[in-house]
Amino acid sequence: MSAKPSERSKEHQAQAPTDDGGRYAQVTGVAVGLLLAAGATPALAWEPTKRVEIVVAAGAGGASDQMARMMQAAIQKNGLMKAPIVVSLKGGASGAEALMYMKSSDGDANKVLIGLFPDLHAAALGENSLQLARPHTRGRRGDGSVRPVGQCGRSKVGQGLHRRCEGCRVSFKMGGTGSKREDMCSRYSWKKKTGAKFSYLPYKSGGEAATQLVGTTRIQRQ
Amino acid sequence: MFDKERISYTTKVSETQSWNDIPTCKEEGLDVQYLMLRAMFCPEKSARSKQAFYVDLFQKIAQTPEYKEYMEKQALKPVFLKGRRCSNSLKRMMR
């Protein structure tokens, strides 16, 4: 709800992401007017006629943001949709800002939320006072705040740290954007399996984490 | 690699190795798995026909070269789920 006034300022009208060189700059200039080939979709199928907003439940430059922009570019370059498409960042309160925004947009099919599932789940659980139930996958229809329409990919993370922490007296510094969420889960499972210790540096987005952590990774012997 | 299996990408990303050369945690003696899923959601109470448009749209996006390049560059597991399979996957993660 509080998200509304700042909405406009946070939108990115087909801009190239600042942290990703000019890779998307070339494609964002392509006209959106490539019409769908006749017969590509059934004649009566609904499609949006006004601007579609991809709502990112994470910070600028993070993985969700990058993926949203990639999809924006893919849609425009391949003429997959006639309506214009924008990306808006609503990463406040660990993604709860985006959930509230979607919750206040019931029935508005011109908005699509993108986010990592554990993050959104954690954000929803952390906002119980706002009556944001868990996403619509358990329980009755209609008791959740959002509804899954599709899913793109499962991420893998390869840090190579595990090899060194076997049986270990080693302390690691871990930095990331998933404080109290996925980073805590993964940290806990490593700790349980190996006894390794971690200290944690929380960052606001993957972009920030990458910038801050590049060149600083090291193993600290106790 | 925090998955049961190695990732499929075999293009070299360093001088000697591809993502496929990175062993799983289990292969290295640490039996942990951790998968995350990035999902797209429509607002509650969206009409089914409108949801269907987005399922179709994201399916088309997943076929584009931009998408495939992104998945490979980010070393993301190229799995696309929709409908019941997607919901079931979410349910498993909430346990």
PDB file of all heavy atoms in Angstrom, chain A residues 127-145:
ATOM      1  N   GLU A 127       5.172 -11.658   7.858  1.00  0.00           N
ATOM      2  CA  GLU A 127       4.232 -10.548   7.851  1.00  0.00           C
ATOM      3  C   GLU A 127       2.843 -11.043   8.253  1.00  0.00           C
ATOM      4  O   GLU A 127       1.841 -10.661   7.661  1.00  0.00           O
ATOM      5  CB  GLU A 127       4.166  -9.931   6.441  1.00  0.00           C
ATOM      6  CG  GLU A 127       5.459  -9.303   5.983  1.00  0.00           C
ATOM      7  CD  GLU A 127       5.781  -8.034   6.756  1.00  0.00           C
ATOM      8  OE1 GLU A 127       4.843  -7.363   7.221  1.00  0.00           O
ATOM      9  OE2 GLU A 127       6.966  -7.723   6.899  1.00  0.00           O
ATOM     10  N   ASN A 128       2.822 -11.885   9.261  1.00  0.00           N
ATOM     11  CA  ASN A 128       1.543 -12.472   9.665  1.00  0.00           C
ATOM     12  C   ASN A 128       0.522 -11.421  10.040  1.00  0.00           C
ATOM     13  O   ASN A 128      -0.668 -11.570   9.795  1.00  0.00           O
ATOM     14  CB  ASN A 128       1.738 -13.425  10.847  1.00  0.00           C
ATOM     15  CG  ASN A 128       2.250 -14.763  10.367  1.00  0.00           C
ATOM     16  OD1 ASN A 128       2.097 -15.094   9.203  1.00  0.00           O
ATOM     17  ND2 ASN A 128       2.882 -15.498  11.251  1.00  0.00           N
ATOM     18  N   SER A 129       0.998 -10.339  10.642  1.00  0.00           N
ATOM     19  CA  SER A 129       0.071  -9.306  11.082  1.00  0.00           C
ATOM     20  C   SER A 129      -0.643  -8.670   9.896  1.00  0.00           C
ATOM     21  O   SER A 129      -1.696  -8.071  10.033  1.00  0.00           O
ATOM     22  CB  SER A 129       0.821  -8.239  11.866  1.00  0.00           C
ATOM     23  OG  SER A 129       1.809  -7.677  11.043  1.00  0.00           O
ATOM     24  N   LEU A 130      -0.055  -8.819   8.730  1.00  0.00           N
ATOM     25  CA  LEU A 130      -0.675  -8.247   7.537  1.00  0.00           C
ATOM     26  C   LEU A 130      -1.604  -9.257   6.867  1.00  0.00           C
ATOM     27  O   LEU A 130      -2.130  -9.001   5.800  1.00  0.00           O
ATOM     28  CB  LEU A 130       0.399  -7.803   6.544  1.00  0.00           C
ATOM     29  CG  LEU A 130       1.382  -6.786   7.096  1.00  0.00           C
ATOM     30  CD1 LEU A 130       2.510  -6.571   6.099  1.00  0.00           C
ATOM     31  CD2 LEU A 130       0.692  -5.477   7.394  1.00  0.00           C
ATOM     32  N   GLN A 131      -1.782 -10.380   7.482  1.00  0.00           N
ATOM     33  CA  GLN A 131      -2.672 -11.413   6.960  1.00  0.00           C
ATOM     34  C   GLN A 131      -2.266 -11.881   5.576  1.00  0.00           C
ATOM     35  O   GLN A 131      -3.101 -12.221   4.757  1.00  0.00           O
ATOM     36  CB  GLN A 131      -4.130 -10.910   6.917  1.00  0.00           C
ATOM     37  CG  GLN A 131      -4.717 -10.622   8.281  1.00  0.00           C
ATOM     38  CD  GLN A 131      -4.786 -11.877   9.135  1.00  0.00           C
ATOM     39  OE1 GLN A 131      -5.315 -12.872   8.708  1.00  0.00           O
ATOM     40  NE2 GLN A 131      -4.216 -11.830  10.336  1.00  0.00           N
ATOM     41  N   LEU A 132      -0.977 -11.889   5.339  1.00  0.00           N
ATOM     42  CA  LEU A 132      -0.516 -12.434   4.066  1.00  0.00           C
ATOM     43  C   LEU A 132      -0.314 -13.920   4.264  1.00  0.00           C
ATOM     44  O   LEU A 132       0.681 -14.345   4.810  1.00  0.00           O
ATOM     45  CB  LEU A 132       0.823 -11.808   3.686  1.00  0.00           C
ATOM     46  CG  LEU A 132       0.763 -10.545   2.872  1.00  0.00           C
ATOM     47  CD1 LEU A 132       2.149  -9.974   2.739  1.00  0.00           C
ATOM     48  CD2 LEU A 132       0.171 -10.816   1.516  1.00  0.00           C
ATOM     49  N   ALA A 133      -1.267 -14.679   3.835  1.00  0.00           N
ATOM     50  CA  ALA A 133      -1.156 -16.121   4.036  1.00  0.00           C
ATOM     51  C   ALA A 133      -0.082 -16.681   3.125  1.00  0.00           C
ATOM     52  O   ALA A 133       0.436 -15.983   2.259  1.00  0.00           O
ATOM     53  CB  ALA A 133      -2.483 -16.792   3.733  1.00  0.00           C
ATOM     54  N   ARG A 134       0.235 -17.936   3.304  1.00  0.00           N
ATOM     55  CA  ARG A 134       1.201 -18.558   2.409  1.00  0.00           C
ATOM     56  C   ARG A 134       0.599 -18.579   1.008  1.00  0.00           C
ATOM     57  O   ARG A 134      -0.615 -18.639   0.849  1.00  0.00           O
ATOM     58  CB  ARG A 134       1.535 -19.973   2.869  1.00  0.00           C
ATOM     59  CG  ARG A 134       0.337 -20.824   3.205  1.00  0.00           C
ATOM     60  CD  ARG A 134       0.791 -22.233   3.530  1.00  0.00           C
ATOM     61  NE  ARG A 134       1.426 -22.347   4.808  1.00  0.00           N
ATOM     62  CZ  ARG A 134       0.789 -22.650   5.936  1.00  0.00           C
ATOM     63  NH1 ARG A 134      -0.493 -22.866   5.926  1.00  0.00           N
ATOM     64  NH2 ARG A 134       1.438 -22.761   7.062  1.00  0.00           N
ATOM     65  N   PRO A 135       1.506 -18.523   0.029  1.00  0.00           N
ATOM     66  CA  PRO A 135       0.986 -18.524  -1.343  1.00  0.00           C
ATOM     67  C   PRO A 135       0.060 -19.706  -1.601  1.00  0.00           C
ATOM     68  O   PRO A 135       0.147 -20.726  -0.947  1.00  0.00           O
ATOM     69  CB  PRO A 135       2.255 -18.621  -2.182  1.00  0.00           C
ATOM     70  CG  PRO A 135       3.296 -18.004  -1.333  1.00  0.00           C
ATOM     71  CD  PRO A 135       2.945 -18.344   0.080  1.00  0.00           C
ATOM     72  N   HIS A 136      -0.776 -19.526  -2.566  1.00  0.00           N
ATOM     73  CA  HIS A 136      -1.872 -20.441  -2.856  1.00  0.00           C
ATOM     74  C   HIS A 136      -1.368 -21.789  -3.349  1.00  0.00           C
ATOM     75  O   HIS A 136      -1.295 -22.037  -4.542  1.00  0.00           O
ATOM     76  CB  HIS A 136      -2.741 -19.772  -3.917  1.00  0.00           C
ATOM     77  CG  HIS A 136      -3.713 -20.673  -4.544  1.00  0.00           C
ATOM     78  ND1 HIS A 136      -4.866 -21.036  -3.926  1.00  0.00           N
ATOM     79  CD2 HIS A 136      -3.688 -21.323  -5.731  1.00  0.00           C
ATOM     80  CE1 HIS A 136      -5.541 -21.856  -4.721  1.00  0.00           C
ATOM     81  NE2 HIS A 136      -4.843 -22.041  -5.810  1.00  0.00           N
ATOM     82  N   THR A 137      -0.958 -22.632  -2.453  1.00  0.00           N
ATOM     83  CA  THR A 137      -0.613 -23.985  -2.864  1.00  0.00           C
ATOM     84  C   THR A 137      -1.119 -24.968  -1.851  1.00  0.00           C
ATOM     85  O   THR A 137      -1.137 -26.150  -2.089  1.00  0.00           O
ATOM     86  CB  THR A 137       0.903 -24.194  -2.972  1.00  0.00           C
ATOM     87  OG1 THR A 137       1.486 -23.782  -1.736  1.00  0.00           O
ATOM     88  CG2 THR A 137       1.479 -23.421  -4.118  1.00  0.00           C
ATOM     89  N   ARG A 138      -1.530 -24.497  -0.717  1.00  0.00           N
ATOM     90  CA  ARG A 138      -2.003 -25.413   0.321  1.00  0.00           C
ATOM     91  C   ARG A 138      -3.319 -24.844   0.830  1.00  0.00           C
ATOM     92  O   ARG A 138      -3.496 -23.653   0.907  1.00  0.00           O
ATOM     93  CB  ARG A 138      -0.961 -25.434   1.432  1.00  0.00           C
ATOM     94  CG  ARG A 138      -1.216 -26.497   2.477  1.00  0.00           C
ATOM     95  CD  ARG A 138      -0.233 -26.344   3.586  1.00  0.00           C
ATOM     96  NE  ARG A 138       1.023 -27.050   3.294  1.00  0.00           N
ATOM     97  CZ  ARG A 138       2.030 -27.088   4.145  1.00  0.00           C
ATOM     98  NH1 ARG A 138       1.966 -26.462   5.286  1.00  0.00           N
ATOM     99  NH2 ARG A 138       3.123 -27.731   3.843  1.00  0.00           N
ATOM    100  N   GLY A 139      -4.227 -25.703   1.193  1.00  0.00           N
ATOM    101  CA  GLY A 139      -5.480 -25.220   1.751  1.00  0.00           C
ATOM    102  C   GLY A 139      -6.469 -24.852   0.666  1.00  0.00           C
ATOM    103  O   GLY A 139      -6.336 -25.258  -0.487  1.00  0.00           O
ATOM    104  N   ARG A 140      -7.460 -24.076   1.024  1.00  0.00           N
ATOM    105  CA  ARG A 140      -8.527 -23.760   0.098  1.00  0.00           C
ATOM    106  C   ARG A 140      -8.042 -22.859  -1.035  1.00  0.00           C
ATOM    107  O   ARG A 140      -7.080 -22.146  -0.887  1.00  0.00           O
ATOM    108  CB  ARG A 140      -9.657 -23.007   0.821  1.00  0.00           C
ATOM    109  CG  ARG A 140     -10.277 -23.727   1.962  1.00  0.00           C
ATOM    110  CD  ARG A 140     -11.461 -22.935   2.462  1.00  0.00           C
ATOM    111  NE  ARG A 140     -11.163 -21.529   2.668  1.00  0.00           N
ATOM    112  CZ  ARG A 140     -10.550 -21.050   3.730  1.00  0.00           C
ATOM    113  NH1 ARG A 140     -10.127 -21.861   4.678  1.00  0.00           N
ATOM    114  NH2 ARG A 140     -10.315 -19.759   3.862  1.00  0.00           N
ATOM    115  N   ARG A 141      -8.780 -22.898  -2.107  1.00  0.00           N
ATOM    116  CA  ARG A 141      -8.522 -21.907  -3.165  1.00  0.00           C
ATOM    117  C   ARG A 141      -8.855 -20.535  -2.634  1.00  0.00           C
ATOM    118  O   ARG A 141      -9.830 -20.337  -1.944  1.00  0.00           O
ATOM    119  CB  ARG A 141      -9.419 -22.179  -4.364  1.00  0.00           C
ATOM    120  CG  ARG A 141      -8.809 -23.147  -5.334  1.00  0.00           C
ATOM    121  CD  ARG A 141      -9.635 -23.177  -6.571  1.00  0.00           C
ATOM    122  NE  ARG A 141      -9.720 -21.857  -7.182  1.00  0.00           N
ATOM    123  CZ  ARG A 141     -10.351 -21.639  -8.333  1.00  0.00           C
ATOM    124  NH1 ARG A 141     -10.911 -22.611  -8.958  1.00  0.00           N
ATOM    125  NH2 ARG A 141     -10.388 -20.432  -8.832  1.00  0.00           N
ATOM    126  N   GLY A 142      -8.022 -19.591  -2.962  1.00  0.00           N
ATOM    127  CA  GLY A 142      -8.389 -18.216  -2.669  1.00  0.00           C
ATOM    128  C   GLY A 142      -7.970 -17.745  -1.288  1.00  0.00           C
ATOM    129  O   GLY A 142      -8.284 -16.637  -0.911  1.00  0.00           O
ATOM    130  N   ASP A 143      -7.238 -18.579  -0.531  1.00  0.00           N
ATOM    131  CA  ASP A 143      -6.833 -18.099   0.778  1.00  0.00           C
ATOM    132  C   ASP A 143      -5.405 -17.563   0.767  1.00  0.00           C
ATOM    133  O   ASP A 143      -4.888 -17.170   1.796  1.00  0.00           O
ATOM    134  CB  ASP A 143      -6.975 -19.193   1.838  1.00  0.00           C
ATOM    135  CG  ASP A 143      -6.043 -20.362   1.562  1.00  0.00           C
ATOM    136  OD1 ASP A 143      -5.402 -20.355   0.504  1.00  0.00           O
ATOM    137  OD2 ASP A 143      -5.966 -21.262   2.399  1.00  0.00           O
ATOM    138  N   GLY A 144      -4.783 -17.548  -0.371  1.00  0.00           N
ATOM    139  CA  GLY A 144      -3.414 -17.062  -0.425  1.00  0.00           C
ATOM    140  C   GLY A 144      -3.360 -15.696  -1.069  1.00  0.00           C
ATOM    141  O   GLY A 144      -4.368 -15.155  -1.499  1.00  0.00           O
ATOM    142  N   SER A 145      -2.190 -15.157  -1.147  1.00  0.00           N
ATOM    143  CA  SER A 145      -2.088 -13.825  -1.703  1.00  0.00           C
ATOM    144  C   SER A 145      -1.698 -13.855  -3.175  1.00  0.00           C
ATOM    145  O   SER A 145      -2.012 -12.951  -3.921  1.00  0.00           O
ATOM    146  CB  SER A 145      -1.041 -13.029  -0.929  1.00  0.00           C
ATOM    147  OG  SER A 145       0.170 -13.738  -0.927  1.00  0.00           O
TER     148      SER A 145
END
